[in-house]
Amino acid sequence: MTINIAAVDYDGLIPNNVALGDDPRVKRALEKWHPGYIDWWNDMGPEGFQASLVYLRTAISVDPKGWAKFDYVRMPEYRWGVLLAPQHTDRKIPFGRHKGEPAWQEVPGEYRAMLRRLIVIQGDTEPASVEQQRHLGKTAPSLYDMRNLFQVNVEEGRHLWAMVYLLQKYFGTDGREEAEALLQRRSGHPDTPRMLGAFNEKTPDWLSFFMFTYFTDRDGKMQLEALAQSGFDPLSRTCRFMLTEEAHHMFVGETGVTRVIQRTCEAMKAAGITDPYDIAAVRKLGVIDLPTIQKKANLHFSLTLDLFGNEISTNAANAFHAGLKGRYREDRLKDDHQLEHDTYPVLRLIDGKIQSEDVSALSALNMRLRDDYVVDANVGVGRWNKVIEEFGIPFQIKLPHVAFHRHIGEFSGIHADVNGTLLSEAEWTQKRNDYLPSDGDKDFIESLMQPQFETGQFASWIAPPKVGIDNKPGDFEYVKIADA
Ligand SMILES: [Fe+2]
Ligand SMILES: [Fe+2]
């Protein structure tokens, strides 16, 4: 049973379905925060395209059948709203020590700090990726891709709004301070960086962007899925709606990489090149060789694994026990949802070897979410390989071992190759460029990043999409670029 479906107030400054009009305190707080947000967007959002008209979807409802509308918008005028999925009446806390109690509509006092921390960490990732991607418009391989980039960007902005609403509504003065701080930190800044490592890395080129949206936005999906299970109902509802937007981000990543692979394979076939490792010959065709695509996948996959935190974590155990953050699809799992007496196998470094060890299921929750992530991430990789296979090219993209190139957790102190074989410092230094993009690889990719802004045209290194956004034809003008 749901109440409150699709009652979106679209007239005020902040579109919302949380009855902001009846909540003057929170309305005022958000309206005060708004100018700082716009300043941030103008400073740190897509560089050079703020005056252009972009064919964007905007969330106007939370009805799954018709939640978005498409139209030309200048990004600074995008309607960033606060939208929560419909409330289920008598929803119960689905896991942890409070399992079966009514879901909280207010913040439980004893968990206030823990809950605020979870919301701030999630919130911090949203503006971070906008900052990381702000230079990419200038080298877009097509107007279609440029539009997709900007769509992802404005929606990450809306996700920031979603988290800031929770902070302003439920956390008083400290919530307000956290909301301000979310606008102050900057991706990659030496003094005020974003909170998590992968969100301080550069996204220097479009292959990185596609890998980022495939691998790193998928971490976002897993975190949102886990928070969508939360006993704190407003957080659950917020995350459920964010997931509908998130799906498009991963679509952009998966199809982006598919199209790069497709183009490479087509060019190889046309030129009669059968050896995927004949890198020099492939690069002469103006496409990205498959081994370099593999290296990019290795990089972004390993950076993203770090986002799941330590394999063994008391914080994760506490958040689950308290009923704040569940497992992936907790509501579909068949067990006692309390895990007090269960164990879970974790890959650890024991006596200098990578070995599986059964540890308490509660402390292994990060690991479990990461395992679910790897399964999910492998699905699209399988589809990439299908494309390569159709061209009869003997090559497969493979996700590297979880011990490869790690900076957090069990394997942060060692070096391993993509198969999980331990390497000495010297071996790692010698082989690193076999696994991760070298300076030469980066220079080559950069050389391909020439803008293609002709309607319906695509850069040499990427195939057109199968279908347009909102069923638009191939020559549709997704972005009307304004003269700067
Ligand atoms: Fe997001
Ligand atoms: Fe996203």
Side-chain angles (χ1 to χ4, degrees):
M1 218 193 327
T2 61
I3 50 175
N4 196 4
I5 192 159
V8 178
D9 168 6
Y10 204 70
D11 298 329
L13 178 65
I14 304 156
N16 71 92
N17 70 343
V18 294
L20 262 191
D22 303 335
D23 200 342
R25 182 189 65 82
V26 177
K27 184 161 179 272
R28 246 195 327 271
L30 288 174
E31 284 173 356
K32 255 184 101 175
W33 185 78
H34 184 260
Y37 171 81
I38 296 295
D39 285 349
W40 167 79
W41 180 270
N42 284 325
D43 287 351
M44 298 310 293
E47 199 185 42
F49 296 90
Q50 302 276 11
S52 298
L53 285 168
V54 188
Y55 192 70
L56 293 175
R57 75 175 180 190
T58 303
I60 48 158
S61 145
V62 292
D63 182 345
K65 287 194 277 309
W67 61 274
K69 76 166 182 153
F70 287 83
D71 207 349
Y72 284 105
V73 186
R74 283 185 192 85
M75 287 183 279
E77 291 158 17
Y78 189 78
R79 304 296 306 277
W80 285 284
V82 176
L83 297 163
L84 275 60
Q87 184 176 349
H88 297 271
T89 48
D90 29 85
R91 177 169 177 259
K92 302 282 192 287
I93 297 167
F95 59 90
R97 63 181 285 239
H98 300 285
K99 191 189 129 204
E101 295 173 21
W104 298 297
Q105 300 303 329
E106 295 295 330
V107 176
E110 55 186 314
Y111 304 136
R112 202 167 182 277
M114 212 194 303
L115 193 52
R116 192 184 63 213
R117 177 102 189 136
L118 287 172
I119 293 169
V120 168
I121 289 176
Q122 179 62 42
D124 194 64
T125 65
E126 313 289 358
S129 62
V130 176
E131 293 164 359
Q132 288 170 293
Q133 295 161 13
R134 66 185 297 253
H135 302 298
L136 290 173
K138 283 179 281 190
T139 54
S142 70
L143 294 181
Y144 166 89
D145 289 290
M146 185 194 279
R147 176 262 166 218
N148 284 349
L149 165 72
F150 295 159
Q151 182 71 63
V152 170
N153 293 160
V154 293
E155 284 175 350
E156 300 305 3
R158 205 202 66 75
H159 292 176
L160 173 60
W161 274 92
M163 293 296 122
V164 163
Y165 167 72
L166 295 178
L167 290 168
Q168 301 274 23
K169 164 102 180 155
Y170 296 100
F171 293 89
T173 312
D174 41 340
R176 196 153 59 240
E177 283 163 11
E178 295 286 12
E180 281 309 318
L182 283 165
L183 294 177
Q184 303 309 323
R185 287 186 287 273
R186 290 285 181 273
S187 177
H189 195 284
D191 305 321
T192 55
R194 292 290 171 186
M195 296 169 89
L196 302 173
F199 290 92
N200 288 303
E201 299 283 333
K202 285 203 162 61
T203 311
D205 59 71
W206 277 78
L207 184 54
S208 278
F209 170 66
F210 293 135
M211 291 292 181
F212 185 97
T213 40
Y214 185 76
F215 287 112
T216 309
D217 281 70
R218 189 175 306 276
D219 160 72
K221 166 185 159 178
M222 301 308 286
Q223 303 299 338
L224 292 176
E225 289 271 9
L227 294 173
Q229 302 288 339
S230 182
F232 180 53
D233 205 41
L235 176 61
S236 163
R237 293 172 55 204
T238 302
C239 292
R240 268 154 48 210
F241 187 67
M242 289 161 77
L243 281 163
T244 58
E245 293 164 315
E246 205 59 51
H248 176 68
H249 307 181
M250 281 168 294
F251 161 87
V252 169
E254 183 181 330
T255 55
V257 176
T258 302
R259 290 162 51 216
V260 177
I261 291 174
Q262 167 94 22
R263 185 69 199 99
T264 299
C265 294
E266 283 168 4
M268 285 173 68
K269 193 179 168 195
I273 300 170
T274 49
D275 178 6
Y277 295 96
D278 193 350
I279 290 171
V282 174
R283 287 186 176 183
K284 275 200 194 116
L285 307 172
V287 296
I288 306 172
D289 52 285
L290 298 173
T292 298
I293 295 173
Q294 172 72 64
K295 288 187 200 177
K296 282 276 197 185
N298 291 346
L299 176 65
H300 288 271
F301 178 72
S302 58
L303 288 173
T304 303
L305 291 185
D306 283 339
L307 293 173
F308 290 85
N310 285 309
E311 288 85 344
I312 316 263
S313 159
T314 326
N315 282 346
N318 290 342
F320 183 88
H321 192 60
L324 300 182
K325 183 178 177 184
R327 289 170 291 175
Y328 180 56
R329 301 195 169 156
E330 183 77 42
D331 48 359
R332 298 190 208 172
L333 298 173
K334 298 264 178 285
D335 58 23
D336 72 357
H337 302 279
Q338 291 182 314
L339 309 179
E340 312 259 350
H341 313 290
D342 297 349
T343 60
Y344 188 83
V346 173
L347 278 188
R348 307 198 64 182
L349 194 67
I350 301 168
D351 303 330
K353 287 200 199 85
I354 298 172
Q355 301 181 40
S356 178
E357 185 183 56
D358 286 337
V359 308
S360 125
L362 277 172
S363 16
L365 282 162
N366 283 346
M367 181 72 197
R368 178 164 184 149
L369 193 62
R370 207 186 75 196
D371 283 345
D372 288 332
Y373 167 82
V374 174
V375 171
D376 201 60
N378 254 315
V379 175
V381 175
R383 287 194 278 257
W384 296 340
N385 285 330
K386 272 247 151 54
V387 175
I388 305 173
E389 207 184 298
E390 279 162 18
F391 283 88
I393 297 167
F395 193 90
Q396 276 201 322
I397 308 276
K398 286 196 193 83
L399 296 183
H401 193 278
V402 294
F404 170 77
H405 188 237
R406 298 298 307 281
H407 299 94
I408 302 243
E410 288 289 318
F411 308 116
S412 56
I414 52 115
H415 292 298
D417 71 10
V418 289
N419 301 311
T421 306
L422 297 188
L423 302 177
S424 69
E425 190 72 43
E427 288 170 314
W428 169 253
T429 311
Q430 199 204 341
K431 291 188 175 172
R432 187 197 173 283
N433 285 351
D434 296 346
Y435 305 131
L436 293 169
S438 65
D439 288 342
D441 297 329
K442 289 179 200 165
D443 291 346
F444 170 68
I445 293 176
E446 210 186 291
S447 76
L448 291 184
M449 296 296 127
Q450 304 301 328
Q452 176 49 274
F453 296 169
E454 288 296 315
T455 305
Q457 298 296 305
F458 290 81
S460 67
W461 53 272
I462 189 164
K466 286 211 171 73
V467 280
I469 292 295
D470 193 30
N471 283 317
K472 292 298 175 203
D475 60 352
F476 184 71
E477 192 177 12
Y478 287 100
V479 183
K480 297 184 183 181
I481 297 173
D483 296 331

